Amino acid sequence: EVQLVESGGGLIQPGGSLRLSCAASGFSVSSSYMTWVRRAPGEGLEWVSVIYAGGDTYYADSMKGRFTISRDNSKNTLYLQMDSLTAEDTAVYYCAKTGGPWDWGQGTLVTVSS
Amino acid sequence: QAVVTQEPSLTVSPGGTVTLTCGSSTGDVTSGHYPYWFQQKPGQAPRTLIYDISNRYSWTPARFSGSLLGGKAALTLSGAQPEDEAEYHCILSYLGARPYWVFGGGTKLTVL
């Protein structure tokens, strides 16, 4: 059974950095497409980034240069490094196993506020 | 980047039928956009309802069906149940040299 558990969210000041983790079980992140999605308060879902099984990475334009997706195959964990955070980055962040029917984690809340 | 549009809200009577749509600013939605539909209830994570136009996921009730209709992706609910009240999100893939994905704004479906 696929399970995804996000962690690392919390309250962070504007301009700060945060690294989110997504611990996977039931499959290997190294052989899967893995995606980050977020949902800001009062908004719809927003695609953030994807990492292909082969390692290629892609980002939404608004996150490019500030966010970095990566994985640790030995820990079977996906990461999202977020830098230069602003209030507009406040959202619940979800990881998902994609490249087929999407399997979602429960999400982790990131609040950017002073 | 493309913009994906959905109806902001729809209402269906219990037992009734409703169709939600998902359009692209770049033109007709085709199989190459691999449209997906997700259901999300308040306080919960989204879950996959339909993938690749019309494939149901393991948990998806048969009353949900996906299709391409009039240049858009469509999600049809036939025989609405109270538990179908939720927000429905579509996503389209744009698989060019630099691929990206775009969600629609979501449709709030009320069963009333």
Side-chain angles (χ1 to χ4, degrees), chain A:
Chain A
E1 180 192 4
V2 171
Q3 288 201 339
L4 298 163
V5 179
E6 301 94 335
S7 60
L11 177 63
I12 186 77
Q13 291 192 335
S17 297
L18 207 57
R19 189 179 79 158
L20 304 183
S21 300
C22 170
S25 59
F27 72 101
S28 295
V29 297
S30 62
S31 57
S32 304
Y33 286 22
M34 297 296 296
T35 295
W36 286 99
V37 171
R38 70 182 185 182
R39 184 164 195 182
E43 303 291 330
L45 296 173
E46 182 178 20
W47 177 77
V48 172
S49 180
V50 66
I51 182 167
Y52 284 177
D56 290 346
T57 60
Y58 300 96
Y59 301 89
D61 283 349
S62 59
M63 286 71 149
K64 204 166 21 171
R66 297 192 303 124
F67 289 11
T68 304
I69 191 171
S70 64
R71 67 190 181 207
D72 184 330
N73 297 338
S74 66
K75 295 182 179 179
N76 209 29
T77 298
L78 176 74
Y79 301 102
L80 185 69
Q81 175 68 39
M82 305 186 295
D83 300 321
S84 304
L85 288 164
T86 72
E88 286 66 44
D89 296 314
T90 294
V92 176
Y93 286 74
Y94 299 97
C95 67
K97 174 182 177 293
T98 56
W102 289 30
D103 292 296
W104 297 74
Q106 285 303 302
T108 187
L109 175 62
V110 173
T111 303
V112 184
S113 175
S114 55

